[in-house]
Amino acid sequence: MNTKISKILTVILSLTFCGAVLEAGEGHGHTHDSHSHADSKKKAGPNGGRVINKGGVTCEFLLTDDRFIEIRFLDEDGAIVKPSGQVITVVGGDRSAPTELVFEDKGDAMVSSASFPEGKALPLVLEIRQTKDSDPVRERIRLATHSCGSCDYLEYACVCGH
Ligand SMILES: [Zn+2]
């Protein structure tokens, strides 16, 4: 009686570890896709001013140390583009006696013809017309000139959205 039964014994204990299905962590939502969302982050202007991107106008709004306002137009890469006949006004400051500034073409920038009044976080409205007769692009700005503290820029040009 030749049997092969004895050989089968080794098979029995080999099927023990079939459980233990590990859930591989797929890491939802943490892919570092850096190129497609970069535009949603705020960037400072080339001189540390506030970048305005509105109604087809992209420019840097900068308050100088002597409180003149400088506007520089920017291309889509953030490079400065010389003014080409735009008309800019700023009205703001004291609400009961607002200051109106006009701007002159000074080469790479449009510069206010006078300084903006002293004061804390004074409101102003910037208007930019592509040509003298076109509709204005308007931007309201609180001209807060203290340091943000969370990013490297002054409050009116803050890029961190704290
Ligand atoms: Zn900030």
Side-chain angles (χ1 to χ4, degrees), residues 147-155 157-162:
S147 294
C148 164
S150 298
C151 65
D152 292 335
Y153 301 98
L154 300 184
E155 183 65 26
C158 166
V159 295
C160 68
H162 57 275

Side-chain angles (χ1 to χ4, degrees), residues 131-143:
T131 67
K132 204 171 76 174
D133 299 320
S134 56
D135 292 334
V137 171
R138 285 196 184 87
E139 176 81 351
R140 291 175 188 279
I141 298 172
R142 268 181 74 247
L143 198 50

Side-chain angles (χ1 to χ4, degrees), residues 42-158:
K42 286 175 116 182
K43 287 182 189 165
N47 300 287
R50 171 183 180 131
V51 172
I52 295 162
N53 190 344
K54 202 172 191 180
V57 172
T58 305
C59 64
E60 176 188 39
F61 174 100
L62 181 72
L63 185 72
T64 66
D65 290 340
D66 49 5
R67 295 186 74 82
F68 281 68
I69 294 169
E70 298 181 350
I71 304 291
R72 287 177 177 81
F73 296 101
L74 306 174
D75 68 13
E76 57 190 14
D77 297 320
I80 296 168
V81 181
K82 288 189 175 185
S84 54
Q86 292 92 341
V87 177
I88 302 176
T89 59
V90 162
V91 178
D94 185 348
R95 287 179 193 279
S96 61
T99 298
E100 178 166 356
L101 301 176
V102 296
F103 285 70
E104 300 165 2
D105 185 339
K106 293 278 182 79
D108 75 330
M110 300 277 288
V111 181
S112 63
S113 56
S115 61
F116 194 74
E118 295 283 343
K120 276 191 178 179
L122 293 176
L124 65 82
V125 176
L126 168 70
E127 286 192 353
I128 298 174
R129 291 174 170 81
Q130 297 282 22
T131 67
K132 204 171 76 174
D133 299 320
S134 56
D135 292 334
V137 171
R138 285 196 184 87
E139 176 81 351
R140 291 175 188 279
I141 298 172
R142 268 181 74 247
L143 198 50
T145 53
H146 59 278
S147 294
C148 164
S150 298
C151 65
D152 292 335
Y153 301 98
L154 300 184
E155 183 65 26
Y156 81 91
C158 166

